[in-house]
Amino acid sequence: MPNAESLPISIQGITKTYGRVHALDNVDLEVKSGEFLTLLGPSGSGKTTLLMALAGFTRPDYGSVRFGDEEVILKPPHLRDVGMVFQNYALFPHMTVAANIAYPLKLRKVSKAEIETRVEQALETVQLGGYGARRITQLSGGQKQRVALARAIVFNPRIVLMDEPLSALDKKLRDHMQIELRQMHDQLGMTTIYVTHDQREALTMSDRIAVINNGKVRQLGTPREIYDTPANRFVADFIGESSFLELEEGESGLTCEGIEILARHTPEDNLPKSLVIRPERLFPVNGKRPADTNLFKGTIRQIVYQGDAAMVYIDQSTGAELVMRCGTDNETLQSLKRDSEITVGLHRDDTVIVSDDETKG
Ligand code: ADP
Ligand code: MG
């Protein structure tokens, strides 16, 4: 299949209210040509509303959407040249696989001979070659989602929008399809906006992630930036597993229980601050304090074995809880005992401080 000509997307000031609900609150977002960008957020955060506004099925109250140089906000969906994949597949159950995939080509009045070739190519792309004559009802969930995908790409759209396309599949197939979808994107090259509430899926698949909450983009960045340098407490809490320790303003910097904290990154604003602790960045400290390391003391409440790792739950005397992740081949793990005292370290370069914002908790 030829490479689709991809287009950048420019979203400016998009607002959509339903009664008193701000489904989208003044959203700005620039998506690069050929990029795989994921909208990640909890249920009800506005992801589907934004996707529907891009596809033209929802008319925002305010704002602008441009595909390349073209303002499309007043354009009806069928003229936007956008491929869509939905969570529930939205296939026609009474039609064959081939007829489903041919549908957007028929709408575009493509000739019969060309339809046949393009449908077969699309089936090959989603690894369903030879399945054209099957009925939709004869397919598994994963195969149905591939047909939906083939239908979304068969007319070489410059933009593809996907709304939680894998959420109906079981975990193993989902993991497999994540890699396949990403490979297909890299092969075809169209600008893709992908919606998920699954942070791991977002980290796995995306060039960049827009983390959304309450109709607002809370952070836009690469998976690494989002994970390593969350912009606020909401993002730190939503992505990965974290413990939080509240910080106070000390004489020469931020402190936790009176002890100054060394950090790689501290936001410059007047909001209250918390320390973000990722479980895999904590390590047990015996004896001498390593350089550039923050130390925390506590009592081991529980050790949970997970096969490839163990999670160690630590209660601090202040009531705060820390979670440390250890490899299971680790000698130190053998030495850790429930109800015993422990000191754990967090290197300065792994220490991130975030501002608490209105979406805390
Ligand atoms: P997400 O896809 O992130 O789960 P949605 O975009 O579907 O979130 O919804 C965002 C908010 O807008 C939610 O509070 C939802 O209840 C509300 N909403 C969405 N569509 C409608 C609608 N057609 N009528 C009323 N409220 C809606
Ligand atoms: Mg949704």
Side-chain angles (χ1 to χ4, degrees):
M1 194 171 292
N3 265 23
E5 208 186 302
S6 61
L7 273 183
I9 302 173
S10 174
I11 299 165
Q12 280 170 2
I14 289 285
T15 296
K16 178 72 184 176
T17 50
Y18 292 108
R20 266 192 252 150
V21 176
H22 284 264
L24 295 174
D25 189 357
N26 199 11
V27 171
D28 296 330
L29 194 59
E30 302 289 328
V31 188
K32 296 171 195 164
S33 180
E35 183 169 30
F36 194 114
L37 182 125
T38 296
L39 306 176
L40 171 68
S43 175
S45 55
K47 307 180 298 293
T48 295
T49 306
L50 183 52
L51 219 58
M52 288 298 154
L54 295 175
F57 296 115
T58 292
R59 172 78 60 86
D61 307 332
Y62 307 101
S64 147
V65 174
R66 275 182 295 145
F67 293 169
D69 295 331
E70 188 192 8
E71 175 63 61
V72 296
I73 202 82
L74 295 173
K75 239 184 176 188
H78 67 281
L79 296 179
R80 290 198 187 189
D81 192 24
V82 161
M84 282 232 43
V85 183
F86 302 92
Q87 173 179 354
N88 56 4
Y89 321 126
L91 298 170
F92 304 112
H94 55 282
M95 290 188 198
T96 62
V97 167
N100 267 277
I101 299 171
Y103 188 77
L105 298 175
K106 277 201 175 143
L107 283 185
R108 287 167 174 78
K109 311 249 184 284
V110 176
S111 75
K112 227 173 162 186
E114 170 132 20
I115 285 181
E116 220 167 277
T117 325
R118 304 249 302 248
V119 166
E120 202 44 53
Q121 281 175 344
L123 279 169
E124 295 288 341
T125 305
V126 299
Q127 300 184 17
L128 281 181
Y131 276 67
R134 299 271 184 111
R135 305 212 141 265
I136 296 299
T137 48
Q138 294 173 312
L139 303 179
S140 69
Q143 290 169 333
K144 281 183 198 161
Q145 196 49 277
R146 283 176 203 204
V147 175
L149 209 57
R151 187 181 58 182
I153 59 165
V154 72
F155 57 99
N156 284 336
R158 295 167 302 172
I159 291 167
V160 173
L161 307 176
M162 302 194 210
D163 194 354
E164 313 226 14
L166 305 181
S167 58
L169 308 179
D170 64 43
K171 181 172 172 359
K172 212 164 171 186
L173 184 58
R174 203 162 68 225
D175 290 350
H176 176 73
M177 290 289 290
Q178 286 167 7
I179 306 296
E180 250 183 41
L181 269 182
R182 179 65 221 213
Q183 279 173 350
M184 194 188 77
H185 166 269
D186 294 348
Q187 180 194 337
L188 300 179
M190 61 282 191
T191 308
T192 300
I193 302 187
Y194 188 93
V195 164
T196 184
H197 63 271
D198 180 340
Q199 45 107 4
R200 191 162 286 280
E201 185 162 294
L203 293 171
T204 303
M205 298 182 73
S206 320
D207 291 323
R208 286 190 304 163
I209 299 171
V211 183
I212 298 198
N213 191 36
N214 291 336
K216 287 195 183 81
V217 176
R218 307 307 314 275
Q219 187 169 7
L220 173 66
T222 63
R224 206 172 189 115
E225 284 162 358
I226 299 264
Y227 188 84
D228 286 348
T229 315
N232 49 59
R233 178 148 174 172
F234 174 79
V235 174
D237 205 13
F238 194 68
I239 314 284
E241 259 182 278
S242 313
S243 311
F244 292 96
L245 294 178
E246 293 185 9
L247 299 177
E248 277 145 39
E249 200 70 55
E251 275 178 14
S252 60
L254 289 164
T255 63
C256 184
E257 304 304 322
I259 298 168
E260 200 184 315
I261 296 293
L262 310 166
R264 168 169 61 87
H265 176 75
T266 307
E268 289 168 8
D269 57 41
N270 293 322
L271 294 164
K273 305 272 183 295
S274 297
L275 181 57
V276 184
I277 303 181
R278 303 292 195 192
E280 73 277 12
R281 306 283 156 88
L282 281 180
F283 56 90
V285 174
N286 295 309
K288 206 171 138 246
R289 175 199 181 119
D292 295 330
T293 298
N294 299 297
L295 295 183
F296 307 94
K297 287 187 187 351
T299 308
I300 299 178
R301 174 164 45 87
Q302 205 171 14
I303 302 172
V304 179
Y305 180 75
Q306 295 182 330
D308 58 337
M311 303 303 273
V312 181
Y313 293 84
I314 300 162
D315 287 337
Q316 294 198 281
S317 58
T318 55
E321 183 193 67
L322 299 175
V323 187
M324 173 173 68
R325 190 176 194 272
C326 283
T328 45
D329 52 354
N330 195 335
E331 256 178 57
T332 34
L333 181 61
Q334 316 306 321
S335 70
L336 301 180
K337 294 279 177 295
R338 215 169 132 170
D339 296 327
S340 66
E341 302 285 308
I342 184 171
T343 301
V344 290
L346 181 68
H347 195 271
R348 171 213 287 268
D349 294 345
D350 291 331
T351 304
V352 171
I353 292 171
V354 291
S355 299
D356 296 350
D357 43 30
E358 79 272 21
T359 55
K360 175 178 166 181

